[in-house]
Amino acid sequence: MLQETIARVRAEIEAADLATAEQLDQFRIAYTGRKGQLADLFDQLKTVEPTDRRAVGQELNQLKQLAQARFEERQQQLEAGAANAPADPTFDYTLPPVPQALGTRHPLSLVREEIVRILARIGFNVAEGPEIEDDWHNFTALNFPENHPARDMQDTFFVKSGGADSAEAKAPASYLLRTHTSPVQVRVMQAQQPPIRSIMPGRVYRNEAISARAHMMFHQVEALFIDENVSFADLKQTVYYFVQELFGDDVQVRFRPSFFPFTEPSAEIDITCLICKGAGCNICKGTGWVEIGGAGMVDPAVLEQSGIDPERYSGYAWGMGIERITMLKYQIKDLRLFTENDTRFLRQFESLL
Ligand SMILES: [Zn+2]
């Protein structure tokens, strides 16, 4: 009697239509649930003759496993189908993808980071200072005396507080946008005693008309080394190392005598033209050399004003424009390209990352 019921229920379970989630739920309630037919059949097991009970029990267990297997298989199929179903049934999967535009690093950032890496390898750390600087750090401490004609060498943006008609605005300005990164050298010397081995990368400002060759805002990096017995030979070796690391082993360096208020002696640094390899072209105006920066031994008066004993210590300083280096390294001919944010220009540096 019970065996006949089991056979009928088995046939029902095997034939059940489980197309939808509703049908699957009804199946669970009707067969495998706590009040379903299987639970009922297990209850009836006690009415079976003891001799048959074991065999019928096994048959019931197999039926229960069959029902659970059908239920779980279909449940997984339905869940997977729901996960893959499009949120918007009208979405066209054949459309080409929209490319994800990744930003690139700016060529000036790439070159600045390269310069920092090269000099960090020989022990230079990075120092920073304010872009709004006071007159003393930008000029006086660096040997530009009041009314000295050297101050006219740099056209300066002065910064005043207060409204246009206020008393502060009419008084002479004591703050300015730094015209070079050298005031950071002064700040480093004021803050620590030698040995000092620092580089100062940063943005500087000059009151200039913007053209292919000049800008009112650009970047410099300077290196300062102060210790006992530092000589011009140390300066030359550091510059040779730096140029060869940045531009390659076959690039030559030469020093030309020059003048800066804060170094004595002073020199300009030239390297062999990267375009013509020294043969002469229109970039180097036929000379085979291009200037990359200035250098010199720190003037003893600058050391003294910054709180360092010039009788005991000496040091060198050298610096260059990051735009200038970048233009030489990548043969960029117009300074304005750096600030125009034209992605056709900027994207060319992707492959250099
Ligand atoms: Zn050349």
Side-chain angles (χ1 to χ4, degrees), residues 21-263:
E22 287 77 27
Q23 286 171 323
L24 185 66
D25 204 41
Q26 282 162 9
F27 176 88
R28 181 183 60 78
I29 293 164
Y31 299 104
T32 61
R34 243 175 350 114
K35 293 179 178 172
Q37 292 199 43
L38 289 174
D40 197 34
L41 290 173
F42 274 104
D43 274 349
Q44 293 179 41
L45 196 57
K46 57 184 178 281
T47 66
V48 176
E49 291 298 322
T51 47
D52 296 339
R53 204 173 284 166
R54 184 182 163 86
V56 175
Q58 278 178 353
E59 218 175 318
L60 260 180
N61 273 326
Q62 283 168 5
L63 182 61
K64 185 181 170 189
Q65 283 165 10
L66 172 75
Q68 280 177 341
R70 274 220 72 186
F71 175 81
E72 282 166 15
E73 182 190 23
R74 189 61 192 138
Q75 190 180 39
Q76 280 171 9
Q77 285 171 353
L78 286 171
E79 281 172 0
N84 292 333
D88 174 5
T90 64
F91 184 82
D92 184 354
Y93 284 93
T94 65
L95 285 173
V98 180
Q100 276 204 348
L102 280 178
T104 59
R105 275 192 289 174
H106 196 279
L108 292 177
S109 300
L110 290 171
V111 170
R112 187 192 62 221
E113 284 164 21
E114 178 71 14
I115 291 170
V116 169
R117 261 200 305 276
I118 290 170
L119 290 169
R121 285 205 290 272
I122 54 170
F124 283 85
N125 61 13
V126 172
E128 289 180 328
E131 290 181 22
I132 297 178
E133 191 51 278
D134 59 52
D135 183 275
W136 190 83
H137 283 92
N138 196 79
F139 290 127
T140 309
L142 291 160
N143 255 4
F144 296 82
E146 299 286 343
N147 305 316
H148 190 282
R151 294 202 186 200
D152 295 333
M153 284 164 61
Q154 309 185 45
D155 290 326
T156 308
F157 286 116
F158 290 97
V159 180
K160 291 184 174 186
S161 57
D165 296 326
S166 68
E168 293 99 320
K170 284 174 182 148
S174 52
Y175 290 95
L176 45 86
L177 296 181
R178 67 182 180 194
T179 58
H180 49 180
T181 43
S182 305
V184 187
Q185 296 194 18
V186 177
R187 289 179 179 277
V188 168
M189 289 189 280
Q190 285 181 309
Q192 75 177 95
Q193 285 295 306
I196 292 171
R197 199 181 297 183
S198 296
I199 55 174
M200 300 85 185
R203 189 178 293 160
V204 302
Y205 302 86
R206 306 264 173 97
N207 190 0
E208 298 218 34
I210 294 170
S211 72
R213 299 175 60 84
H215 209 286
M216 43 65 66
M217 178 201 80
F218 52 99
H219 299 78
Q220 290 183 335
V221 56
E222 297 189 16
L224 175 69
F225 181 37
I226 299 174
D227 205 344
E228 292 178 2
N229 303 315
V230 177
S231 73
F232 205 93
D234 298 313
L235 166 62
K236 289 174 82 172
Q237 286 305 320
T238 311
V239 172
Y240 292 156
Y241 158 79
F242 172 77
V243 166
Q244 291 185 348
E245 289 292 310
L246 189 63
F247 293 109
D249 289 344
D250 54 341
V251 176
Q252 302 281 307
V253 182
R254 76 176 183 188
F255 289 80
R256 269 183 301 114
S258 185
F259 171 78
F260 303 109
F262 36 90
T263 48

Side-chain angles (χ1 to χ4, degrees), residues 273-278 280-285 288:
C273 176
L274 302 168
I275 313 290
C276 63
K277 309 283 177 205
C281 70
N282 63 345
I283 299 294
C284 57
K285 301 189 185 79

